[in-house]
Amino acid sequence: MGTLTSCSFTSTLNLGFRSRPNCIDFTDRFRLYGRKDYTYNLWSRELCLRKRHQIVGLDSDTNNNRGLFGGFECSASGRDGDNDGSGSVGEDNDVSKESNFTTISTEETAAGGDADSEKPVAVSSRPPTISPIGPAYNNFQVDSFKLMELLGPEKVDPADVKLIKDKLFGYSTFYVTKEEEFGDFGEGILFLGNLRGNREVVFAKLQSQLAEIMGDKYNLFMVEEPNSEDPDPRGGPRVSFGMLRKEVSEPGPTTLWQYVIALLLFVLTIGSSVELGIASQINRLPPEVVKYFTDPNAIDPPDMQLLYPFVESALPLAYGVLGVQLFHEVGHFLAAFPKKVKLSIPFFIPNITLGSFGAITQFKSILPDRKTKVDISLAGPFAGAALSLSMFAVGLLLSSKPDAAADMVQVPSMLFQGSLLLGLISRATLGYTAMHGATVSIHPLVIAGWCGLTTTAFNMLPVGCLDGGRVVQGAFGKDALVGFGLTTYSLLGFGVLGGPLSLPWGLYVLICQRAAEKPCLNDVTEVGTWRRTAVTVAIFLVVLILLPVWDELAEELGIGLVTTF
């Protein structure tokens, strides 16, 4: 038995927005029937006061300090007398005026009123009825969404929005006509309007004025106006200005657990690189080991003692594979250092076939413009490709010399059908006779260079947050990245690019790297013709490297032995 008591608390968290979640007490499910002169229920009053102590953490008469959630108020409806059923203290009153019961508010309790001595407590002979449908139930659903807002990113303070709108923008810079939500969760403000000058000059001026008004509290972004139909009269796309809190928009620091995970992945990558070096000596390995590497149905690994004699000879190839990955990451860091852009520690991805799938390196700073995004993203693949191509070329030259036969390894000739560009280079260097056979004798540097170039090409695919996705997003915009990404996923899905590695690589991208990179502070200014040209040439070379050679063309070009008699 109980009375319906609704509790509401007003929350003004220092989040830049105001929220008023309602705490509907479970006693609102009980309804009492009978005489209308019932008094309040003492147990319900004590429960409401106890909840106030638990949430606010203060005495009921404390008004100056509201604790974590602010002031907690208990209200009642349906009082007798002159109140006419509208005695709710809070803003929300979801109880109908026809309720046949009365309660007492916390203000009366704090004043020392003792209604128990004036009226007896009436007890209904009928059992309480629970009603799952009603205004209180609907409010509970609404309050769940409000709680999710409280747990989300901290929003921009509305008072700051008004101040910035009045003092930052104007007729001489950017005239604001509309405001919208900005950010992944609507935690920011996007100002739409009319630009009144050169966009780069106006943006620099607005950034300087924002720092004077708000210090380092907010970051200002210049982005293309969403759903804009007409270009800017001065040329180029129409622009808008988005504002986010600094702690929300800037990436967080690398945690201790991330360092531990990165170290563990690096150790596993060393192991996969050594295993690749052992597998490259397949013509020397014991039959049990050969079966493990060649039979798809072989699950149980062979005795590890059988592999020990081949570890030392596998190290040069492992060093080459790891060297390419380290060069790749050094290229990123060397390009980011003069730009004062921070990068995370690389998370290497082990892979048995290539030794490594590359590494995931995150931006730990907001990029100032799209030129910086393209330069840093291109620097890593260019450095890794330069080392890989050098090893590949030197390995082919050594493979063509008879005096280096002692260092050669035998690999299936069909290996060279995995890449149109690399297969043609190998065919031109080694000749038709050497390539047109069941196996081909090559130097281990060829394998290291081949794996390095293949890994670099995979990372340069224009999709998601890969290096290729970043350069395409920076050079041609986010809309272009969507089109490139859909095309890339389709080609990987049909096995047109990457051959047998297309499926595992596609799954890896979907799981780890599918999201596009966040916008730069200046996400509008173009990168220039030569950067776009470099990106276009790089994507074209990526396609040539990852495009397999079909059997008819391989037979015609003499790349591998396709048919035997």
Side-chain angles (χ1 to χ4, degrees):
M1 146 177 89
T3 61
L4 185 144
T5 304
S6 65
C7 305
S8 67
F9 58 89
T10 304
S11 173
T12 308
L13 306 181
N14 188 20
L15 300 177
F17 64 99
R18 188 174 179 84
S19 177
R20 301 184 62 86
N22 304 318
C23 174
I24 305 300
D25 189 75
F26 66 85
T27 57
D28 64 355
R29 300 291 186 266
F30 297 96
R31 301 183 182 276
L32 300 179
Y33 299 89
R35 294 170 49 192
K36 192 176 181 179
D37 59 351
Y38 292 154
T39 65
Y40 69 95
N41 189 301
L42 181 62
W43 172 80
S44 178
R45 181 189 67 179
E46 292 178 348
L47 176 62
C48 192
L49 290 177
R50 188 181 304 115
K51 285 193 174 185
R52 175 177 179 177
H53 283 282
Q54 291 175 349
I55 296 183
V56 181
L58 300 172
D59 293 336
S60 61
D61 58 350
T62 302
N63 296 321
N64 295 330
N65 192 343
R66 294 189 171 218
L68 176 61
F69 293 101
F72 185 88
E73 303 166 352
C74 296
S75 59
S77 60
R79 290 181 186 169
D80 292 337
D82 298 331
N83 200 3
D84 196 19
S86 59
S88 176
V89 178
E91 291 183 0
D92 300 322
N93 186 4
D94 299 321
V95 186
S96 63
K97 296 181 180 181
E98 290 79 13
S99 301
N100 295 327
F101 55 89
T102 58
T103 61
I104 189 169
S105 66
T106 56
E107 286 81 355
E108 297 172 359
T109 304
D114 190 1
D116 290 331
S117 62
E118 298 177 4
K119 293 183 181 181
V121 177
V123 179
S124 174
S125 59
R126 298 182 61 179
T129 302
I130 299 178
S131 177
I133 302 176
Y137 180 75
N138 294 333
N139 280 354
F140 178 78
Q141 290 180 314
V142 174
D143 297 340
S144 300
F145 292 102
K146 293 181 179 179
L147 180 60
M148 293 176 64
E149 291 182 1
L150 288 174
L151 299 177
E154 194 170 3
K155 293 190 175 182
V156 177
D157 193 337
D160 293 342
V161 174
K162 185 178 184 305
L163 179 63
I164 290 172
K165 185 178 178 181
D166 294 338
K167 293 189 176 183
L168 186 65
F169 301 104
Y171 290 100
S172 61
T173 54
F174 185 79
Y175 183 73
V176 178
T177 59
K178 188 180 178 182
E179 300 171 20
E180 294 181 356
E181 291 184 345
F182 181 66
D184 296 334
F185 303 96
E187 65 273 24
I189 296 295
L190 181 66
F191 299 97
L192 292 85
N194 301 316
L195 187 66
R196 300 301 177 87
N198 180 273
R199 57 173 60 92
E200 285 78 16
V201 175
V202 171
F203 182 56
K205 184 177 180 180
L206 293 178
Q207 282 184 311
S208 177
Q209 292 179 348
L210 179 64
E212 294 177 0
I213 298 173
M214 291 294 171
D216 60 348
K217 188 175 182 180
Y218 295 105
N219 279 321
L220 188 67
F221 296 81
M222 183 170 67
V223 298
E224 294 186 16
E225 181 179 310
N227 304 321
S228 177
E229 298 179 356
D230 301 323
D232 191 276
R234 296 174 178 82
R238 297 182 64 89
V239 301
S240 301
F241 293 94
M243 190 172 66
L244 290 170
R245 283 184 173 271
K246 207 173 187 67
E247 62 271 18
V248 172
S249 57
E250 293 186 351
T254 304
T255 63
L256 177 61
W257 278 112
Q258 289 176 322
Y259 282 108
V260 173
I261 294 174
L263 179 60
L264 177 62
L265 289 175
F266 183 67
V267 172
L268 293 176
T269 303
I270 294 176
S272 63
S273 300
V274 173
E275 186 172 6
L276 174 64
I278 296 176
S280 66
Q281 309 171 63
I282 194 168
N283 58 319
R284 306 174 185 173
L285 299 178
E288 300 90 337
V289 180
V290 174
K291 182 179 179 181
Y292 172 70
F293 283 116
T294 58
D295 188 358
N297 298 323
I299 301 176
D300 298 331
D303 187 1
M304 297 299 296
Q305 294 182 356
L306 297 175
L307 301 178
Y308 290 157
F310 304 95
V311 172
E312 184 177 357
S313 56
L315 292 181
L317 178 57
Y319 292 151
V321 172
L322 291 174
V324 171
Q325 303 307 320
L326 293 177
F327 257 63
H328 185 116
E329 299 308 317
V330 169
H332 283 315
F333 280 91
L334 290 179
F337 181 76
K339 307 279 188 180
K340 297 182 179 179
V341 174
K342 298 179 180 179
L343 300 177
S344 72
I345 186 172
F347 297 86
F348 291 93
I349 309 300
N351 179 264
I352 298 176
T353 305
L354 298 175
S356 174
F357 260 157
I360 300 175
T361 305
Q362 301 170 333
F363 290 115
K364 288 299 182 180
S365 302
I366 301 180
L367 300 178
D369 49 43
R370 289 162 61 174
K371 293 181 181 179
T372 303
K373 179 184 291 185
V374 172
D375 293 344
I376 297 177
S377 301
L378 274 182
F382 277 10
L387 179 60
S388 300
L389 186 59
S390 300
M391 291 191 298
F392 183 70
V394 172
L396 287 177
L397 293 177
L398 293 176
S399 301
S400 60
K401 293 183 177 181
D403 54 354
D407 299 327
M408 300 294 185
V409 294
Q410 299 288 330
V411 298
S413 59
M414 293 186 64
L415 170 69
F416 295 91
Q417 293 182 231
S419 170
L420 176 60
L421 179 60
L422 302 184
L424 289 175
I425 295 175
S426 302
R427 164 67 175 79
T429 305
L430 300 179
Y432 179 85
T433 304
M435 292 285 295
H436 202 262
T439 60
V440 181
S441 298
I442 59 174
H443 194 274
L445 281 177
V446 176
I447 302 176
W450 185 293
C451 293
L453 288 170
T454 304
T455 302
T456 302
F458 271 122
N459 280 274
M460 274 297 294
L461 285 175
V463 60
C465 205
L466 297 174
D467 290 329
R470 289 170 174 171
V471 298
V472 168
Q473 183 181 357
F476 303 104
K478 194 172 183 179
D479 293 338
L481 176 61
V482 174
F484 274 98
L486 292 176
T487 304
T488 302
Y489 281 128
S490 301
L491 295 177
L492 289 174
F494 289 109
V496 177
L497 293 178
L501 291 175
S502 59
L503 180 58
W505 179 261
L507 293 176
Y508 157 69
V509 175
L510 283 174
I511 295 173
C512 302
Q513 301 274 62
R514 67 179 180 274
E517 190 60 58
K518 292 184 177 181
C520 309
L521 291 176
N522 179 358
D523 208 49
V524 178
T525 302
E526 302 291 344
V527 299
T529 303
W530 76 267
R531 284 186 175 87
R532 287 189 169 188
T533 303
V535 172
T536 304
V537 172
I539 298 299
F540 178 70
L541 293 176
V542 164
V543 174
L544 292 181
I545 292 175
L546 296 180
L547 186 65
V549 183
W550 56 94
D551 292 345
E552 292 79 4
L553 181 60
E555 181 70 21
E556 184 176 348
L557 296 177
I559 302 177
L561 182 63
V562 178
T563 58
T564 57
F565 300 96

